[in-house]
Amino acid sequence: MKEAIVQPDLEVDIVDSEIPVPKDNEVVTKVVVSGSNPKDWKRPVRSNQAMNSGDDIAGVVHQVGRNVYEFKPGDRVAAFHEMMAPGGSFAEYAVSWAHTTFHIPNHTSFEGELSSLNYGCLTTTNSANQLCDDSSPS
């Protein structure tokens, strides 16, 4: 598969990588649309580390881990990738935890409604959990 690696100087290299294999509680999605947020270029610059920094995924499930029962190959989903981990969304295939993945209806477009929804929603959820002194989902 092709994968975009953002360099600390903001150059982007397109490289050939293996399609990720999901761990037990993960979902691998064939990416249709990847959202882009300011942190996607700030993270490589500030960490001085090259990475696939995309985290917002919209696409079709390719493969699921052995403990994942909510999703199956072919499902339309949106998801949030674990920041700083391999398998980001600036690629043809991306990895997410099952608990940060959700089904999307057939009438919802990948491009319009979903490509940047995930990061904002999860930020809001995590903020509410912290304000309520509740633990984050794991």
Side-chain angles (χ1 to χ4, degrees), residues 42-76:
K42 289 178 181 178
R43 182 74 66 180
V45 170
R46 291 180 180 167
S47 69
N48 199 34
Q49 181 180 358
M51 66 184 71
N52 173 346
S53 54
D55 293 319
D56 294 321
I57 307 162
V60 178
V61 173
H62 172 71
Q63 188 177 9
V64 299
R66 68 181 183 147
N67 294 337
V68 177
Y69 58 88
E70 306 97 319
F71 307 99
K72 64 183 183 318
D75 285 350
R76 289 168 44 94

Side-chain angles (χ1 to χ4, degrees), residues 3-138:
E3 180 174 24
I5 305 297
V6 181
Q7 301 294 329
D9 64 2
L10 298 182
E11 292 290 322
V12 177
D13 296 328
I14 306 300
V15 301
D16 289 314
S17 299
E18 296 293 320
I19 294 174
V21 175
K23 294 178 185 168
D24 290 349
N25 298 308
E26 293 179 339
V27 176
V28 174
T29 299
K30 178 154 182 40
V31 177
V32 174
V33 175
S34 173
S36 182
N37 298 287
K39 67 98 190 138
D40 295 335
W41 60 267
K42 289 178 181 178
R43 182 74 66 180
V45 170
R46 291 180 180 167
S47 69
N48 199 34
Q49 181 180 358
M51 66 184 71
N52 173 346
S53 54
D55 293 319
D56 294 321
I57 307 162
V60 178
V61 173
H62 172 71
Q63 188 177 9
V64 299
R66 68 181 183 147
N67 294 337
V68 177
Y69 58 88
E70 306 97 319
F71 307 99
K72 64 183 183 318
D75 285 350
R76 289 168 44 94
V77 297
F80 185 73
H81 167 262
E82 180 183 357
M83 292 181 1
M84 303 291 291
S89 66
F90 294 162
E92 293 179 281
Y93 294 85
V95 177
S96 62
W97 294 105
H99 71 267
T100 63
T101 304
F102 58 94
H103 289 97
I104 59 172
N106 289 333
H107 67 273
T108 302
S109 75
F110 289 114
E111 296 84 358
E113 293 90 352
L114 294 171
S115 60
S116 62
L117 175 68
N118 306 329
Y119 187 67
C121 288
L122 286 170
T123 299
T124 302
T125 301
N126 285 335
S127 296
N129 283 337
Q130 288 177 5
L131 287 172
C132 296
D133 197 29
D134 197 1
S135 61
S136 295
S138 56

